[in-house]
Amino acid sequence: MPNSLDIVLPCYRPPQGWVDRILLTMTALSDRLAPLSLKLILVNDGSPTGVEPGDTGRLAAGLPGFEYLPLAVNGGKGAALRAGVARSKADFCVFTDIDFPYEVDSIVEVVQTLLAGQDIAIGIKDQTYYEQTPRMRRRVSRFLRWLARTFLRISITDTQCGLKGFNAKGRDIFLQTTISRYLADLEFIFLADRSPLAMQAVEVHLREGVQFSKVNIRILLTEGGNFFRVWLRSLF
């Protein structure tokens, strides 16, 4: 029987109180997912601020098996996730954002979907997400879903929800991604859609008090180029 789960968190300029949030959430998940053995893999994506030796020391003291992977250079979310996922040897792997923006119930449901036999579980945002997020972020999210549906014709268009999980087969697919930044999620779903693996969407819910960062126009332009790369692959 599967008995282990790794949770991978990419970290860059983490928000205030991030260590407390991790300890609180990991404790709750350990209780809810017993007897699964949980381990946290924290990937520091070359963050110049916000991560101190005392922070990682607290995590190591509070989380059995805690693994810290500091990257010398900021490579982007996709690159950081691949580095962390490549270190994972557990039966299942889940990745999300450093502030654990989704409810514990949602993370548990993703894991239960994997335990039920799915190779890949993809979190998708519920309707309340769009009611809680800034207007610009809503527009970008909906526009990207339209692009994914129209040009890539993938089965799950909510590619950027920051909660996904997979077993060893799904991990192999994720490690085939090449995009270094945010659209690595989209590339993952694109590749999974073209594989024989079983993939299921799981509706997830934001926890209370989540703070959203501003949309960076420069990043949007860069990701436009990455979307074009995936679209070209879809043609062949």
Side-chain angles (χ1 to χ4, degrees):
M1 291 290 291
N3 62 6
S4 57
L5 167 68
D6 286 344
I7 296 182
V8 176
L9 299 181
C11 174
Y12 185 77
R13 297 184 186 272
Q16 187 175 5
W18 66 280
V19 174
D20 291 332
R21 172 60 58 185
I22 288 176
L23 292 171
L24 180 69
T25 306
M26 289 295 294
T27 298
L29 287 172
S30 294
D31 291 341
R32 293 283 303 278
L33 293 171
L36 277 180
S37 173
L38 269 63
K39 184 179 86 170
L40 178 70
I41 300 175
L42 178 69
V43 184
N44 182 343
D45 188 22
S47 182
T49 60
V51 184
E52 304 296 337
D55 297 326
T56 54
R58 285 182 61 199
L59 293 172
L63 302 174
F66 169 71
E67 187 169 352
Y68 178 55
L69 179 58
L71 305 181
V73 178
N74 172 238
K77 179 184 175 182
L81 283 174
R82 278 193 296 276
V85 169
R87 297 287 281 267
S88 173
K89 306 302 179 188
D91 298 301
F92 303 112
C93 182
V94 166
F95 67 77
T96 188
D97 299 321
I98 188 68
D99 59 344
F100 277 107
Y102 296 97
E103 294 179 351
V104 169
D105 285 349
S106 295
I107 303 172
V108 169
E109 188 169 355
V110 165
V111 176
Q112 289 176 337
T113 300
L114 299 173
L115 288 168
Q118 296 292 314
D119 298 305
I120 300 170
I122 303 294
I124 60 171
K125 300 180 284 287
D126 68 340
Q127 183 55 39
T128 61
Y129 172 90
Y130 296 100
E131 298 169 0
Q132 296 174 254
T133 52
R135 182 167 57 182
M136 182 61 175
R137 184 177 288 270
R138 289 199 303 270
R139 289 177 173 176
V140 170
S141 179
R142 285 170 170 159
F143 179 61
L144 181 57
R145 294 186 70 167
W146 177 82
L147 288 174
R149 181 172 59 253
T150 304
F151 293 97
L152 301 182
R153 301 184 184 280
I154 54 181
S155 60
I156 300 175
T157 60
D158 188 4
T159 61
Q160 300 312 112
C161 176
L163 178 57
K164 296 176 176 66
F166 36 78
N167 59 16
K169 296 176 183 177
R171 178 168 57 235
D172 291 341
I173 295 292
F174 185 81
L175 291 176
Q176 293 175 30
T177 63
T178 58
I179 292 174
S180 295
R181 298 197 177 273
Y182 294 99
L183 289 194
D185 295 71
L186 179 145
E187 185 183 18
F188 173 47
I189 295 176
F190 170 81
L191 293 173
D193 239 6
R194 284 153 177 76
S195 78
L197 301 189
M199 178 169 61
Q200 181 174 317
V202 178
E203 187 174 83
V204 300
H205 311 282
L206 283 174
R207 65 171 176 81
E208 291 186 5
V210 174
Q211 300 294 316
F212 293 95
S213 59
K214 293 183 178 179
V215 175
N216 188 311
I217 300 301
R218 181 178 61 83
I219 291 177
L220 287 180
L221 294 174
T222 301
E223 295 302 74
N226 284 329
F227 184 91
F228 183 69
R229 286 172 52 197
V230 178
W231 177 67
L232 285 179
R233 292 176 71 177
S234 74
L235 299 180
F236 302 101

